[in-house]
Amino acid sequence: MAEHTLVGQRVVRIDSRAKATGQARYTADLTLPRMLCGKVLRSPHAHARILNIDTSKAERLRGVRAIVTGKDAAGVKWGVFGYTRDQELLTRDKVRYIGEDVAAVAAEDEDTAVEALKLIEVEYEVLPAVFDPLEATQEGAPQIHDHAENNINIHVPIEIGDVDKAFRDAYYVREDRFVNTEYGYCQTEPYAVLASYDSDGNLEIWTPNASPHTKAKALSNLLQKPLSKVKVRKVYTGGAFGGRSDIFPGEFIAALLTMKARRPVKLVYTREESFTSVRQVHSMVVDLKTGVAEDGRLLANEIKVVMDGGAYSSTGPIATSVPFLVWEETYRLPNVRFNGYRVYTNKPVRGMYRCHGRAFLGGLGMQLDMIAEELGIDPVEMRLRNALTTGDTQATGSKIISCGLSEAMEQAAEESGWKHKRGKLPHGKGIGMGANGMMVGFPMGIRGGSSAMIKFNEDAGATLISGVVDNGQGNESMVVQVAADVLGLKMEDINLVCSDSEITPLDQGAYSQAAAFVSANAAMGAAIDSREQILEIASEMLDATVDELDLRDGYVFVKERPERNMWMGKAIRKALIEDTPIMGRGSYMPKVDQRREWVSNPRGQHAGTFSFGAVIAEVEVDTETGQVRVTNVTGAHDCGFAINPMAVEGQLEGSVASGGVGATLLEEHSWDGGQMLNANMLEYKVPLSVDMPQITPIIVETIDPEGPFGAKEAGLWGSMNMFQAIGNAIYDAVGVWIKEFPITPDKVLAALEEKDKDR
Amino acid sequence: MEKQLIQLTVNGEDHDVVVTPNQTLVDVLREDLELTGTKVGCDEGACGTCTVLMDGKPVRSCLTLAVEAQGKSIETIEGLASGGELHPVQKAFIEHGAIQCGFCTPAMILTSKAFLEQNPHPTEEEVRRAISGVVCRCTGYAKIVEAIMAAAGES
């Protein structure tokens, strides 16, 4: 291919006009003829046996069209993995958290549906409950699931090298405990689902999601219907951040309601329900022990984490492993012992999050700074001495094919003025670094790859059919940009059909950071395939070899003599007449070790490639109030190649809000036992425009040998290393380590007081 | 609750709608007039995604009763582009990559438009304060602020 015409350019996203004019329709905006309103009855108890559900009074209420309980379900349990199938999405035997789905109503209007919920009588036998993951593992704690003794849901043990010997040989060893409370995705769009069922048995679902294929497969299992009858449609999604991935009770309930009522049913959650009854983010207690050589090289790590998983598994094995994997994807770890436990409690279900594991990764990155100080090494230098590079193999066996980690660290340090600032700023001001590597995709079996097709109209316009999913990050625009570049078309010449489980081919979805590396790779493959077909036909027509030809602005031309050209539509028409219509086909399956398994076999190539980044945060700490303000963030990220730099930068900027100011300083759920106290946006504090620092993004391009045009990922740029950068900057500012996230003013003041006492 | 007939002027068009006294403006806009560009993010006045302009001022339509909007001029995102020509603020949001998931976008754009009419040459700090009532979870507000500053420069 000739030089790029589109990729690498700051292009306007294809979805932005619809979104700027209010024409983009999200699930709650959709209506269907004769649509009913759905509402869910939720458990008021954290742990109780359901003795009886009497719906007879509710059924007699005028305007009620269907009521479902667990008895209407097939009794199939859901779990992302065969060994984690622990959740009936409409429970029959027990409720395990406050807010769990017990029954649901479809009625002519919302008032009637709410009224009907009040008429459903549920008899509970309240059981003792447990809310703390450490207590939950003690002898005598209430057992939440029959199959899980001591409430241990997942245990991931990994041991590499001779850890005990390495600790004995270490020059310096340090142990710390870090903890974090629960937090939330708090996407701006509340959870919603619209379901419709026809007389031929076709079930259609619209819901904000990260993977229509994953939802469809789960519903097909749960409803015991063939996959061809379950159609999860494309709809605009108002943010995901990991919280729209696996199946939720809402979709299942809406499906049951529409199948029973034989009318479309829309279920729109309140903000409170979106907080409590979809997914939350794990709290955790992390014990870290690190041993180093005198020169700062990491010799041994022992990491034990206990995560509060809530009542069910969700993506448990993944959530238990990912923070550890992010650590091993960053630094050379010759000897490491990891024990990850995910524990059941009587709290809402926890899932994967863009900023998952703040105590884990924040802790490791802060401990690195503590050790660096002890050894008299600059924190940036400490990281550079341990950073992975291209060609290295990670602790559990993944080979790195492109790596710009050191460059990212060096460029971020340079741009931020690190040398002149670290340790030299006035009291109350500080600067700190965080860094991490990131898996780009991971083994998901048949769902780990993507395929795409391109068909052409006789006027030379094209339609790209791809499974790609966009939750806001710009994935749709990205695949069109890539295909248009390859085909020498304008982006507006290509229509995109995507994210529909019936129409579009399999794709991993907006999940595991794989959309650029995998989905765009497949779209690129389809574009290259159709390009070759077009050039083949055009070579006869222009009397030139395929190699001599190129495509640009809808024309095929001879590279050496551009005046010899023809409109692309001619080749497309000729192909139709000759019964060889141009149909591009592409696919990409990342080169991972498919035998790798999260719990039973965490060895082998985990991802096709890895991205790398470093951020530097500057803070001001008010020692009177304990308030921490992030003033500047400089972030450098090796995304391989920036297909649309404007969209790539937007990922860092968003991460500084969610992972940085939000997850590090503000966001947490508060509880009274199993009752969430701040399930609303007045009390669950998220960053506002006035809370945000100045942000300087630096794109590092390593041109990955596998990625489309060399691209990897940018979605997790900064989101998992902001915690450590801010934690370290606070130490630089006021000399205290805060080991509990979020770092709220009360914790800062308590630490300052403690420090004064020591003096 | 007893229903009553009211007149609403939305995007320059008059509408007769039958409402109950407790019905919110956002509910009438979305359900009765099918103007779904106005979003509901929290339904309790915290997130700002339901912002519309009432006599040129941003209001949270989830905290405004439909009956309160009688006799006032309501503007929603659907009314901003005139004759297919986008408003400069819409253009700036598009060109500067200020839109990711898009759920807060209508509220952000309307809030910015009203603000720039009051303060055509704002500082960045003033822009940040002006939009601090609308929550965005995707962009970190950086490109939104950039877009508003650019739109201010154009006007």
Side-chain angles (χ1 to χ4, degrees), chain A residues 19 26 29 667 687 689, chain B residues 30 39 100-101 128 137 141:
Chain A
K19 288 173 175 174
Y26 300 77
D29 304 338
E667 296 183 36
S689 50
Chain B
R30 289 176 53 83
K39 306 300 179 198
Q100 289 194 28
C101 87
R128 286 187 183 276
R137 290 291 271 169
Y141 309 95

Side-chain angles (χ1 to χ4, degrees), chain A residues 454-464 489 492-495 534 567-573 576 582:
Chain A
I454 300 184
K455 72 183 186 75
F456 290 82
N457 302 325
E458 59 268 36
D459 68 357
T463 299
L464 168 63
L489 291 172
E492 55 265 36
D493 294 331
I494 300 183
N495 285 334
I534 291 167
W567 178 50
M568 210 166 105
K570 280 193 181 170
I572 288 157
R573 286 158 182 253
L576 285 166
I582 292 164

Side-chain angles (χ1 to χ4, degrees), chain A residues 10 12-13 15-17 19-22 24-26 28-29 31 184-190 237-239 241 271 353-354 471-473 646 649-651 653-655 657-658 667 680-682 684 686-690 692-695, chain B residues 30-31 34 36-42 44-47 49 77-78 81 84-86 90 93-97 99-106 109 124-125 127-129 131-143 145-146:
Chain A
R10 301 174 76 85
V12 162
R13 280 171 48 171
D15 53 343
S16 45
R17 198 180 168 95
K19 288 173 175 174
T21 53
R25 301 189 96 196
Y26 300 77
D29 304 338
T31 49
Y185 308 86
C186 198
Q187 305 98 335
T188 48
E189 183 196 10
T237 294
F241 319 118
R271 179 52 68 178
Y353 182 40
R354 181 193 203 184
N471 300 137
Q473 57 279 80
M646 193 158 72
E649 290 164 8
Q651 292 304 306
E653 292 157 354
S655 285
S658 52
E667 296 183 36
N680 61 74
M681 288 179 76
L682 286 169
Y684 185 83
V686 301
L688 303 174
S689 50
V690 287
M692 293 299 296
Q694 291 297 323
I695 302 167
Chain B
R30 289 176 53 83
E31 303 296 326
E34 298 187 336
T36 54
T38 305
K39 306 300 179 198
V40 179
C42 70
E44 57 189 5
C47 75
T49 49
I77 192 68
E78 289 89 347
E85 178 70 12
L86 297 178
Q90 286 174 310
F93 268 62
I94 291 170
E95 282 160 17
H96 289 267
I99 304 170
Q100 289 194 28
C101 87
F103 201 78
C104 74
T105 304
I109 288 177
E124 195 186 305
E125 201 47 48
V127 169
R128 286 187 183 276
R129 268 206 303 279
I131 58 164
S132 63
V134 185
V135 168
C136 169
R137 290 291 271 169
C138 298
T139 66
Y141 309 95
K143 293 202 175 352
V145 172
E146 205 179 297

Side-chain angles (χ1 to χ4, degrees), chain A residues 387-399:
Chain A
L388 289 167
T389 60
T390 308
D392 278 350
T393 301
Q394 297 164 13
T396 65
S398 296
K399 191 111 177 141

Side-chain angles (χ1 to χ4, degrees), chain A residues 262-530:
Chain A
R262 299 280 165 153
R263 285 171 63 178
V265 176
K266 184 162 76 177
L267 199 57
V268 180
Y269 279 14
T270 61
R271 179 52 68 178
E272 182 180 4
E273 288 176 296
S274 296
F275 268 117
T276 62
S277 304
V278 187
R279 285 289 179 274
Q280 300 185 337
V281 184
H282 297 74
S283 64
M284 58 187 71
V285 178
V286 194
D287 290 311
L288 305 174
K289 183 177 171 187
T290 301
V292 295
E294 196 172 356
D295 60 5
R297 275 178 303 115
L298 290 166
L299 295 181
N301 262 142
E302 182 164 8
I303 304 168
K304 183 188 167 199
V305 58
V306 178
M307 298 187 187
D308 182 348
Y312 299 102
S313 283
S314 179
T315 46
I318 304 175
T320 312
S321 309
V322 161
F324 170 74
L325 297 173
V326 169
W327 181 243
E328 74 153 25
E329 287 158 10
T330 316
Y331 300 114
R332 281 188 296 277
L333 310 175
N335 305 286
V336 59
R337 179 180 297 138
F338 170 62
N339 279 291
Y341 296 91
R342 187 179 186 274
V343 175
Y344 289 123
T345 64
N346 291 113
K347 282 171 138 178
V349 189
R350 279 71 197 264
M352 275 304 297
Y353 182 40
R354 181 193 203 184
C355 318
H356 174 61
R358 52 187 171 173
F360 199 130
L361 293 161
L364 282 160
M366 285 162 71
Q367 202 185 46
L368 213 54
D369 267 41
M370 296 171 189
I371 295 169
E373 180 172 56
E374 189 66 33
L375 302 180
I377 302 172
D378 175 80
V380 176
E381 178 58 29
M382 177 83 184
R383 285 176 172 77
L384 286 168
R385 285 181 193 177
N386 288 288
L388 289 167
T389 60
T390 308
D392 278 350
T393 301
Q394 297 164 13
T396 65
S398 296
K399 191 111 177 141
I400 297 171
I401 59 172
S402 71
C403 177
L405 179 57
S406 297
E407 292 88 329
M409 291 176 185
E410 284 161 351
Q411 290 183 30
E414 177 69 28
E415 178 68 29
S416 66
W418 173 271
K419 272 193 187 143
H420 313 291
K421 290 180 179 168
R422 175 73 186 189
K424 295 168 187 152
L425 296 170
H427 186 72
K429 290 188 178 192
I431 186 167
M433 178 180 258
N436 72 277
M438 183 54 61
M439 62 211 76
V440 182
F442 44 63
M444 286 193 279
I446 57 168
R447 243 166 285 281
S450 177
S451 27
M453 299 176 271
I454 300 184
K455 72 183 186 75
F456 290 82
N457 302 325
E458 59 268 36
D459 68 357
T463 299
L464 168 63
I465 302 160
S466 156
V468 74
V469 181
D470 197 328
N471 300 137
Q473 57 279 80
N475 294 338
E476 289 180 20
S477 197
M478 172 181 66
V479 293
V480 169
Q481 190 180 354
V482 163
D485 188 288
V486 172
L487 289 166
L489 291 172
K490 296 192 192 72
M491 284 172 73
E492 55 265 36
D493 294 331
I494 300 183
N495 285 334
L496 177 68
V497 173
C498 67
S499 331
D500 181 303
S501 74
E502 181 186 24
I503 298 162
T504 65
L506 262 184
D507 179 276
Q508 80 289 322
Y511 190 64
S512 75
Q513 303 78 247
F517 187 69
V518 179
S519 312
N521 231 330
M524 187 175 176
I528 291 171
D529 184 32
S530 39

